[in-house]
Amino acid sequence: MGKIKEAKYIWLSGKLVPWGEAKVHVLTHALHYGSAVFEGIRAYDTKTKGPAVFRLREHVKRLFDSAKIYRMELPYTIEEVENIILEVIRANELKSCYIRPLVFRGYGDMGVNPLHNPVELMVAAWEWGAYLGKEALEKGVDVMVSSWTRMVPNTFPPMAKSSANYANSQLIKMEAVLYGFEEGIALNYEGAVSEGSGENLFVILRDPVTREPKILTPSLDAAILPGITRNSVIQIARDLGYTVKEEHIPRELLYIADEMFFTGTAAEITPIRSVDKIPVGSGKRGPITKQLQETFFKIVHGEIEDKYNWLTPVYK
Ligand code: PPE
């Protein structure tokens, strides 16, 4: 959150350049038309392997998928981009950090048609703490249901992590923070729950009689980004023995849920303590949310076995 903590070097179009010199022309296509796709990746300092990138292959694959949807051909292979990311972390001597690769249409033609503009890659990395505030991971955040609808799939495809999608995210986020909330949850074109401005959403409901919990998250057709943290949490929860369902979530479920949390690379696992001023469960982080958080953080910090093979060490 907040101002960037500057590191030393940024990879820009083929080489590492000093942080302050990583610049582009003001007529860069992406600046005018949102013609860019990006990723957010985290590396954590682990006990046994030193700094390690969380689910590097999945993030880089999603970057290539996003680029493909927008007909952008990267002048690199997946392996090359992975190596560039590792090189940026090493060059900046970072341990725990956030990594931002961006593929963008550069300077050349003006006008909507992006096909003749060069496809460029930049990769930056810096130290980035808790996304929704320092206390959020433990205490949870207060959120509102946004008055903005999440973009409809056949307008801006949510499965592509395109910069253009974040115009919608910014409307959601600005409204929420200016109204005194930490985040907004957007409904989709059908009026069902989709996601936060930069996070996926999970809802936990207990059977009123047996108290048996069920973990729900909107399915991929709900106009959401297929989050890598979302996918990780689904796997972790199932391995812990929970029932996890990807399904249509009506708005009113948000008001009667026992627990709720956001997931995302930046947000990690952030509990939600109220929606539209209605407390979620007890109004505090719930026990299943806590258990999932603890397991997730143990995995990313290499404190338990990396049985899913999710960590790529920065130094081999
Ligand atoms: N939905 C949206 C809209 C989203 O932007 C993110 C990530 C997610 C879900 C979660 O996806 P994943 O990171 O793969 O678990 N948001 C990125 C950008 C946030 C930002 O403010 O910038 C992120 O968390 O890196």
Side-chain angles (χ1 to χ4, degrees):
M1 276 307 258
K3 216 163 185 271
I4 298 176
K5 191 165 174 214
E6 293 185 8
K8 293 183 227 160
Y9 301 102
I10 290 177
W11 177 278
L12 178 61
S13 305
K15 58 180 192 293
L16 286 169
V17 298
W19 183 279
E21 287 168 31
K23 293 182 178 167
V24 293
H25 196 275
V26 291
L27 295 180
T28 293
H29 199 271
L31 197 54
H32 295 253
Y33 306 111
S35 43
V37 297
F38 70 97
E39 271 305 314
I41 310 173
R42 270 192 198 267
Y44 293 90
D45 200 12
T46 70
K47 286 247 159 79
T48 47
K49 298 176 177 169
V53 182
F54 184 64
R55 304 198 73 176
L56 178 61
R57 175 56 57 96
E58 289 86 343
H59 280 285
V60 175
K61 175 69 168 65
R62 191 172 65 185
L63 183 68
F64 274 75
D65 288 347
S66 300
K68 193 173 182 191
I69 291 169
Y70 280 96
R71 304 175 192 270
M72 302 165 107
E73 208 159 318
L74 264 88
Y76 304 98
T77 63
I78 287 185
E79 289 77 13
E80 282 167 346
V81 173
E82 287 178 348
N83 285 327
I84 291 166
I85 288 168
L86 295 171
E87 196 183 329
V88 170
I89 302 170
R90 288 194 287 257
N92 286 295
E93 297 171 88
L94 291 162
K95 290 188 170 118
S96 286
C97 61
Y98 183 82
I99 305 132
R100 168 57 55 84
L102 179 85
V103 176
F104 63 99
R105 292 284 189 176
Y107 176 86
D109 280 13
M110 230 20 197
V112 170
N113 181 6
L115 292 169
H116 305 297
N117 289 64
V119 174
E120 311 217 36
L121 170 71
M122 83 90 203
V123 180
W126 65 92
E127 282 175 40
W128 208 12
Y131 185 58
L132 295 170
K134 253 193 210 138
E135 296 196 320
L137 291 175
E138 207 191 305
K139 299 226 160 80
V141 291
D142 300 306
V143 308
M144 64 177 280
V145 173
S146 185
S147 70
W148 295 100
T149 298
R150 197 84 184 119
M151 67 270 175
V152 179
N154 209 26
T155 58
F156 301 86
M159 220 171 259
K161 197 170 168 66
S162 158
S163 297
N165 296 356
Y166 289 82
N168 179 247
S169 288
Q170 289 175 65
L171 293 170
I172 296 162
K173 186 75 178 188
M174 287 190 289
E175 178 185 57
V177 298
L178 292 173
Y179 286 7
F181 298 90
E182 267 91 24
E183 186 55 286
I185 293 173
L187 305 178
N188 66 19
Y189 56 102
E190 295 178 306
V193 173
S194 66
E195 60 182 346
S197 74
E199 314 88 356
N200 292 115
L201 181 74
F202 284 78
V203 174
I204 304 176
L205 285 167
R206 284 182 188 272
D207 182 282
V209 179
T210 64
R211 303 297 294 153
E212 198 61 41
K214 203 162 70 175
I215 303 178
L216 307 176
T217 192
S219 41
L220 293 184
D221 60 7
I224 62 163
L225 182 76
I228 290 164
T229 321
R230 172 186 181 277
N231 173 275
S232 309
V233 166
I234 291 173
Q235 285 192 58
I236 291 169
R238 285 192 177 139
D239 282 355
L240 288 170
Y242 293 109
T243 304
V244 185
K245 292 231 160 83
E246 298 173 61
E247 58 182 47
H248 178 98
I249 298 184
R251 172 178 184 163
E252 60 272 28
L253 224 53
L254 301 177
Y255 304 126
I256 55 176
D258 292 284
E259 297 184 35
M260 207 181 312
F261 59 87
F262 282 130
T263 63
T265 299
E268 299 167 307
I269 299 178
T270 302
I272 297 169
R273 65 180 175 191
S274 74
V275 180
D276 294 336
K277 309 261 180 188
I278 300 176
V280 178
S282 63
K284 294 199 181 88
R285 173 176 65 181
I288 298 171
T289 306
K290 183 164 184 266
Q291 185 192 18
L292 293 170
Q293 266 184 329
E294 281 171 358
T295 312
F296 175 81
F297 283 121
K298 277 184 189 151
I299 293 173
V300 301
H301 289 119
E303 286 163 16
I304 53 177
E305 195 211 330
D306 179 20
K307 67 172 171 181
Y308 310 101
N309 213 0
W310 283 344
L311 303 178
T312 302
V314 174
Y315 301 95
K316 303 229 169 84

